[in-house]
């Protein structure tokens, strides 16, 4: 290829040597079967290589396409000549959307893993699992903003006859024409309560009008979000007025722009909004075998079944290592029942509201006794199905 002076290593060498086999010309053909415009003229190998290297280096769409046009290692990996004129970055957006909607949305990962397994590069003895925060780009919305935004979205997506029926039951006079918070004297508690009550009643009125009506998928999605935000942060007091409750629902929707995003914690002091990315990898080859994404408030162990699905029916199953987030008793029992040997530290005991934790008690299963911090010892009473 005339790429003098370029020393290719790692993934760049792999793609340069085997990219044509990994990503043949018809690799993305199924994504355009129903397209009236046909397929783009960009070779599948070039597109797939850019997407893989973009993820590998953590680049934006614009930067990834720029690298293809000026980086010799990228050009060698993609199998193009020096001075290759790259495509526009928006093509990547369309391709990712088509991949997500396809029957094989994770094909880039799956096919590389398959090649690694056939080449006996990917071992089967050990797997490591872990998670990482994925921050959402949308702003977290308060209750007032969510209620108003959800009502506006329903009015916007409804077909004309339903939108007219929904508007007819609204009682606020601003017609929900603009985004953001409505005017209010936020220092006046009565004014705030009146605003919340009016927004909730408008939301409930719209939901009542649409109850039992056959809706499109887009309309139903917007209505579902409105139903959630109309009830997650408010409650009706004895006086019949809806007010914000002083609690946070565990599964609270944090934005009507991205209703699936959630509040999450990687530790007691590390909070984030968005999602969690979960991976399972072979520590010897450092190849990531599978990935999955959950809302930020999901427990790490909830993703284990998806991550290890590729080992269902295999024998022997690999030893699985993880941190203490995977070390609960229930998780250990579930993994043992599935045939996996889970190696994870037991989660530290939690002192809730200053009370004693289980670590403050001495439990002697052989003697069948438990001793409290005040050194009082009592006999453990087992249930009928325990010995």
């Amino acid at each position: 290829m005339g790429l003098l002076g370029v020393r290719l290593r790692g993934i760049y060498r792999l793609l340069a040597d085997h990219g044509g086999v990994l990503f043949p010309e018809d690799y993305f053909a199924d994504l355009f079967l129903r397209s009236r415009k046909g397929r783009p003229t960009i070779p599948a190998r070039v597109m797939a290589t850019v997407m893989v290297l973009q993820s590998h280096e953590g680049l934006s769409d614009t930067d990834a396409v720029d690298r293809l046009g000026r980086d010799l290692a990228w050009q060698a990996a993609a199998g193009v000549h020096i001075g290759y004129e790259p495509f526009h970055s928006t093509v990547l957006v369309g391709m990712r959307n088509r991949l997500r909607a396809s029957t094989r949305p994770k094909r880039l990962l799956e096919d590389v893993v398959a090649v690694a397994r056939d080449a006996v590069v990917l071992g089967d003895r050990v797997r490591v699992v872990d998670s990482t925060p994925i921050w959402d780009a949308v702003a977290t919305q308060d209750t007032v903003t969510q209620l108003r935004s959800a009502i506006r979205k329903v009015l916007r997506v409804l077909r004309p006859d339903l939108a007219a029926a929904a508007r007819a039951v609204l009682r606020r006079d601003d017609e929900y024409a603009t985004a953001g918070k409505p005017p209010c004297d936020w220092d006046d508690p009565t004014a705030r309560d009146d605003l919340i009550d009016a927004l909730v009643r408008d939301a409930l009125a719209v939901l009542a009008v649409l109850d039992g009506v056959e809706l499109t998928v887009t309309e139903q999605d917007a209505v579902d979000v409105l139903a959630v935000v109309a009830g997650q942060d408010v409650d009706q007091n004895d006086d019949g007025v809806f007010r914000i409750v002083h609690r946070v629902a565990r599964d609270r929707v944090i934005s009507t722009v991205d209703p699936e995003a959630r509040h999450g914690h990687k530790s007691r002091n590390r909070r984030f909004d968005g999602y969690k990315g979960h991976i399972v990898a072979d520590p010897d080859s450092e190849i990531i075998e599978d990935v999955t994404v959950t809302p930020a408030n999901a427990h790490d162990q909830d993703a284990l079944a998806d991550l290890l699905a590729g080992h269902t029916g295999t024998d022997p199953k690999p030893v699985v290592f993880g941190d203490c987030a995977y070390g609960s008793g229930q998780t250990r029992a579930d993994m043992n029942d599935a045939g996996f040997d889970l190696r994870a530290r037991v989660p530290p005991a939690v002192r809730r509201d200053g009370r004693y934790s289980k670590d403050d008690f001495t439990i002697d299963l052989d003697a069948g006794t438990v001793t409290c911090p005040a050194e009082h010892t009592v006999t453990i009473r087992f249930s009928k199905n325990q010995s």
Side-chain angles (χ1 to χ4, degrees):
M1 297 174 59
L3 298 178
L4 299 179
V6 178
R7 299 180 63 185
L8 300 176
R9 296 179 179 177
I11 190 171
Y12 304 93
R13 181 61 179 268
L14 171 67
L15 293 173
D17 291 345
H18 305 287
V21 176
L22 279 170
F23 312 121
E25 291 184 1
D26 62 348
Y27 192 69
F28 294 126
D30 61 300
L31 305 184
F32 300 91
L33 291 178
R34 299 180 181 179
S35 174
R36 296 181 180 179
K37 298 180 180 179
R39 285 185 285 168
T41 57
I42 306 163
R45 176 182 178 180
V46 175
M47 180 63 67
T49 299
V50 171
M51 297 176 76
V52 170
L53 294 182
Q54 176 187 18
S55 177
H56 178 66
E57 297 192 15
L59 301 176
S60 67
D61 290 347
T62 301
D63 288 341
V65 173
D66 177 65
R67 291 290 284 275
L68 178 64
R70 63 181 178 83
D71 192 305
L72 298 182
W74 277 56
Q75 292 171 357
V80 299
H81 55 78
I82 297 176
Y84 177 79
E85 186 69 25
F87 50 85
H88 196 275
S89 60
T90 55
V91 176
L92 288 170
V93 178
M95 184 60 71
R96 282 195 297 268
N97 290 337
R98 289 179 180 275
L99 270 175
R100 277 193 290 267
S102 73
T103 57
R104 292 186 60 213
K106 295 194 292 186
R107 68 184 67 189
L108 294 174
L109 173 64
E110 293 167 350
D111 292 342
V112 172
V113 168
V115 170
R117 184 172 285 113
D118 291 343
V120 199
V121 175
L122 183 66
D124 290 321
R125 297 182 303 105
V126 178
R127 289 295 182 269
V128 175
V129 291
D130 204 357
S131 69
T132 187
I134 301 176
W135 278 265
D136 203 323
V138 300
T140 301
Q141 298 172 328
D142 58 31
T143 302
V144 171
T145 303
Q146 284 201 25
L147 283 167
R148 196 161 184 278
S149 175
I151 294 173
R152 290 184 69 247
K153 185 172 184 179
V154 169
L155 296 174
R156 186 171 63 251
V157 302
L158 287 177
R159 49 190 183 270
D161 58 326
L162 293 181
R167 287 189 179 279
V169 299
L170 298 176
R171 293 294 174 262
R172 284 186 49 79
D173 58 4
D174 66 355
E175 298 185 352
Y176 298 88
T178 59
K181 292 184 179 180
C184 178
D185 183 359
W186 300 104
D187 294 326
D188 183 352
T190 301
R192 294 200 306 268
D193 289 345
D194 289 345
L195 175 60
I196 291 293
D197 184 69
L199 288 170
V200 174
R201 292 185 184 280
D202 272 359
L204 296 178
V206 171
L207 292 172
V209 167
L210 300 175
D211 186 31
V213 178
E214 186 174 347
L215 303 173
T216 66
V217 173
T218 301
E219 292 171 337
Q220 189 63 59
D221 287 345
V223 170
D224 289 345
V225 172
L226 176 59
V228 170
V229 300
Q232 68 177 2
D233 293 330
V234 297
D235 199 4
Q236 193 171 23
N237 292 348
D238 294 336
D239 56 5
V241 177
F242 288 96
R243 293 190 175 94
I244 296 178
V245 294
H246 297 288
R247 58 173 169 76
V248 178
R250 179 187 178 277
D251 203 37
R252 180 180 186 272
V253 173
I254 64 175
S255 172
T256 57
V257 178
D258 187 355
E260 296 181 2
R262 294 292 186 271
H263 293 308
H265 294 269
K266 276 299 286 181
S267 67
R268 185 181 299 272
N269 299 318
R270 289 183 60 196
R271 170 180 159 174
F272 65 98
D273 293 332
Y275 300 85
K276 278 184 183 177
H278 306 263
I279 68 166
V280 55
D282 170 25
D284 295 326
S285 65
E286 299 184 354
I287 292 177
I288 294 176
E289 184 179 46
D290 204 353
V291 297
T292 190
V293 177
T294 64
N297 63 338
H299 293 294
D300 287 359
Q301 63 262 26
D302 294 346
L304 281 176
D306 286 341
L307 291 177
L308 299 172
H311 294 279
T312 302
T314 63
D315 192 36
K317 290 182 169 59
V319 178
V320 180
F321 286 86
D323 57 28
C324 62
Y326 304 91
S328 70
Q330 186 61 55
T331 303
R332 293 175 189 275
D334 292 343
M335 291 289 285
N336 184 70
D337 292 343
F340 291 96
D341 181 6
L342 175 64
R343 309 287 180 88
R345 293 178 58 187
V346 176
V350 179
R351 290 176 176 267
R352 299 186 181 278
D353 302 322
R355 293 174 289 186
Y356 291 117
S357 74
K358 61 184 178 182
D359 285 352
D360 295 312
F361 295 78
T362 301
I363 301 174
D364 189 337
L365 295 179
D366 293 330
T369 61
V370 57
T371 303
C372 74
E375 299 185 355
H376 295 292
T377 301
V378 297
T379 301
I380 298 175
R381 291 179 291 181
F382 294 96
S383 63
K384 293 181 180 180
N385 58 354
Q386 289 179 308
S387 58

